[in-house]
């Protein structure tokens, strides 16, 4: 989705695979596979050759009417930044923020920018899990397929796990993956900053209830 939006925003200018690879933190070969998957899914893409060539999207941005108040826009901007780069779907959140800002009426955009100039927040630029592993986990939850992870416990011991990804938990010390662990044959939560690797498989996972898999937690939690 993020690649598609980047191409749509750049159209009719081509975007090279190397630029996309840098932006999304993957290899150019991975980008080429993703572009092929987008074409197979029916996205209208074509390639321009040459030194300034790349992928071009024929899909047009729709007209979006946004009637948000500047205070509401600021709340969204602040929430995305406060959640940090390790938030599930952080890349999509950044894309959504850009789309909202682009669609604002001129006066609302001006008032929003004035509020942004008066606001400061901690720059959480480091992604403790790593973008590649985080994106694999996001896809595993979205597609409901088994994911193989490397996990380091609080003592530093690392194990390899195959898990059924069920969902996400935000707690006081960060983000967790809620999953059914095949090794333990039980529901477990895996702290994002302790997941060292994550690799998708093609095996569909069992459908599981989020709260039943999560089990008891000391604080009240709710869906966003």
């Amino acid at each position: 989705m993020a690649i598609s939006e980047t191409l749509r925003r750049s159209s009719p200018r081509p975007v090279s695979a190397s630029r996309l690879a840098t932006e999304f933190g993957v290899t150019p070969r991975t980008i080429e596979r993703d572009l092929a998957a987008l074409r197979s899914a029916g996205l209208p893409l074509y390639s321009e050759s040459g030194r300034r060539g790349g992928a071009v999207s024929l899909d047009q941005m729709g007209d979006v009417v946004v009637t948000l108040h500047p205070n509401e826009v600021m709340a969204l901007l602040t929430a995305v930044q406060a959640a940090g780069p390790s938030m599930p779907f952080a890349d999509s959140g950044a894309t959504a923020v850009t789309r909202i800002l682009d669609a604002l009426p001129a006066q609302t955009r001006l008032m929003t920018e004035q509020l942004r100039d008066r606001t400061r927040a901690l720059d959480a630029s480091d992604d403790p899990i790593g973008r590649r592993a985080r994106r694999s986990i996001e896809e595993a939850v979205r597609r409901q397929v088994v994911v193989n992870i490397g996990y380091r416990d609080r003592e530093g011991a690392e194990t390899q796990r195959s898990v059924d990804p069920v969902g996400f938990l935000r707690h006081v010390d960060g983000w967790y993956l809620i999953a059914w662990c095949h090794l333990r044959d039980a529901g477990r939560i895996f702290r994002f900053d302790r997941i060292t690797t994550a690799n998708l498989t093609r095996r569909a996972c069992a459908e599981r209830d989020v709260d039943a898999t999560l089990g008891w937690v000391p604080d009240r939690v709710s869906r966003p």
Side-chain angles (χ1 to χ4, degrees), residues 61-135:
M61 294 288 289
D63 292 331
V64 180
V65 178
V66 179
T67 58
L68 296 175
H69 188 275
N71 293 359
E72 295 170 326
V73 179
M74 272 303 298
L76 295 174
L77 297 179
T78 305
V80 170
Q81 182 172 6
S86 63
M87 173 186 73
F89 308 106
D91 297 334
S92 297
T95 301
V97 164
T98 301
R99 293 181 64 187
I100 288 172
L101 291 175
D102 287 347
L104 290 175
Q107 185 62 26
T108 305
R109 176 67 182 264
L110 176 61
M111 295 172 68
T112 299
E113 291 299 332
Q114 291 173 343
L115 287 174
R116 294 181 76 184
D117 287 340
R118 300 189 188 108
T119 306
R120 297 293 183 270
L122 181 66
D123 186 7
S125 56
D126 294 331
D127 189 348
I129 186 176
R131 177 181 281 182
R132 183 175 298 181
R134 175 172 52 77
R135 289 183 65 198

Side-chain angles (χ1 to χ4, degrees), residues 167-187:
F168 302 106
L169 168 68
R170 169 69 174 176
H171 210 252
V172 292
D173 54 353
W175 284 97
Y176 288 79
L177 168 67
I178 306 168
W180 184 268
C181 178
H182 295 187
L183 179 65
R184 306 301 184 198
D185 195 27

Side-chain angles (χ1 to χ4, degrees), residues 49-66:
S49 58
R51 188 167 61 90
R52 299 179 180 275
V56 181
S57 174
L58 296 178
D59 200 10
Q60 298 297 315
M61 294 288 289
D63 292 331
V64 180
V65 178
V66 179

